[in-house]
């Protein structure tokens, strides 16, 4: 199919067809989530479930790909579904206008091949990590603050999320600072991890490995969580 012609070389034709059979859940549809949706949909991942109970606010306009001046106050997940109709109508999008929590996580995440963490708070991240562990689904974590970002792939049996957020460094109440460029960067790295998971090749950021990106000083490093 001409739509996916430029995927080939990065992916084999067989891998490209494989992606079309896969199901990804994107939890959070803001800065990270909008870019993740865009990239997974353009690549051709066949079914995307987008989960977010929030609506757009003016402060989202600086970075959230799905926001515009005409949809302030509108549902983020409905905007995601409409966007994908324009970008790739072959993709099935299931919008879920709900806040994921301990009570609904198992039901919402069941029957997916990968879950993408595009959240903005620690309790929800820990909830999806526990749900993914129970369901035996790989989870791709991403987070940003200002010039900085981090990415990790959490396979069933890993306790990476707990190890990240048990550190005092990650428990500070920082004033939100979210420019346009770090969500795009971190989302791209998350999507690369998802594609490797779904096609079964490449080296993953797994086993307690955390990629830290500092765009202010051009420093990128891998750290092994203890």
């Amino acid at each position: 199919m001409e739509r996916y012609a430029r995927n080939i070389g990065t992916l084999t034709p067989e891998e490209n067809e494989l992606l079309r059979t896969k199901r990804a859940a994107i939890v959070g549809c803001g800065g990270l989530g909008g870019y993740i949706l865009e990239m997974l949909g353009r690549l051709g991942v066949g079914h995307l479930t987008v989960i977010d109970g929030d609506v757009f606010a003016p402060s989202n306009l600086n970075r959230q790909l799905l926001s515009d001046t005409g949809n302030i106050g509108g549902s983020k997940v409905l905007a995601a579904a409409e966007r994908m109709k324009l970008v790739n109508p072959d993709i099935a999008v299931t919008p879920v206008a709900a806040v994921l929590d301990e009570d609904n996580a198992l039901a919402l995440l069941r029957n997916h091949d990968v879950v993408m963490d595009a959240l903005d708070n620690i309790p929800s991240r820990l909830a999806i990590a526990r749900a993914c562990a129970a369901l035996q689904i790989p989870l791709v974590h991403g987070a940003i603050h200002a010039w900085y970002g981090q990415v990790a792939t959490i396979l069933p049996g890993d306790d990476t999320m707990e190890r990240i957020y048990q550190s005092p460094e990650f428990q500070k109440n920082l004033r939100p600072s979210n420019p346009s460029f770090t969500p795009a960067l971190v989302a791209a790295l998350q999507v690369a991890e998802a594609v490797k998971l779904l096609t079964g090749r490449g080296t993953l950021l797994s086993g307690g490995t955390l990629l830290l990106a500092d765009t202010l000083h051009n420093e990128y490093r891998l750290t092994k969580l203890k």
Side-chain angles (χ1 to χ4, degrees):
M1 185 186 295
E2 186 176 356
R3 172 185 290 278
Y4 302 117
R6 296 300 178 92
N7 285 356
I8 307 306
T10 303
L11 303 172
T12 66
E14 294 77 16
E15 288 169 336
N16 199 87
E17 285 301 310
L18 180 63
L19 289 185
R20 296 173 69 183
T21 71
K22 298 298 185 179
R23 299 171 60 90
I26 304 168
V27 188
C29 210
L32 287 172
Y35 284 108
I36 290 170
L37 172 88
E38 186 85 2
M39 286 183 261
L40 290 178
R42 287 183 183 273
L43 278 166
V45 176
H47 190 116
L48 303 175
T49 301
V50 286
I51 304 167
D52 197 320
D54 202 4
V55 298
F56 290 112
S59 61
N60 301 149
L61 291 168
N62 79 314
R63 71 195 183 282
Q64 294 193 13
L65 186 64
L66 298 173
S67 68
D68 59 54
T69 55
N71 66 11
I72 300 304
S75 164
K76 292 184 177 182
V77 294
L78 293 182
E82 289 301 311
R83 172 67 179 174
M84 201 44 56
K85 286 180 185 177
L86 296 173
V87 170
N88 189 350
D90 294 338
I91 301 304
V93 178
T94 301
V96 180
V99 176
L100 187 142
D101 57 27
E102 297 281 0
D103 295 328
N104 63 18
L106 289 174
L108 293 178
L109 299 180
R110 195 180 307 277
N111 298 323
H112 289 88
D113 298 294
V114 66
V115 174
M116 309 298 289
D117 167 19
L119 289 160
D120 61 1
N121 68 89
I122 296 171
S124 294
R125 287 198 168 105
L126 294 173
I128 64 167
R130 286 189 284 268
C132 286
L135 295 168
Q136 296 287 289
I137 300 172
L139 170 65
V140 182
H141 163 69
I144 70 149
H145 176 72
W147 297 84
Y148 313 102
Q150 63 189 39
V151 181
T153 291
I154 304 170
L155 301 178
D158 292 349
D159 62 349
T160 303
M161 194 76 82
E162 288 79 3
R163 281 191 278 168
I164 291 171
Y165 289 109
Q166 72 185 2
S167 167
E169 178 183 355
F170 291 101
Q171 295 175 5
K172 299 173 183 175
N173 292 317
L174 300 172
R175 183 177 184 275
S177 179
N178 311 103
S180 61
F181 48 89
T182 40
L185 171 64
V186 169
L189 294 168
Q190 287 182 266
V191 169
E193 288 294 289
V195 171
K196 288 183 284 184
L197 279 164
L198 295 175
T199 59
R201 67 156 154 147
T203 302
L204 295 169
L205 294 166
S206 59
T209 299
L210 184 66
L211 172 62
L212 299 171
D214 174 350
T215 65
L216 184 60
H217 301 101
N218 293 318
E219 294 177 356
Y220 299 82
R221 64 186 178 92
L222 296 175
T223 186
K224 200 76 170 177
L225 299 169
K226 298 178 180 179

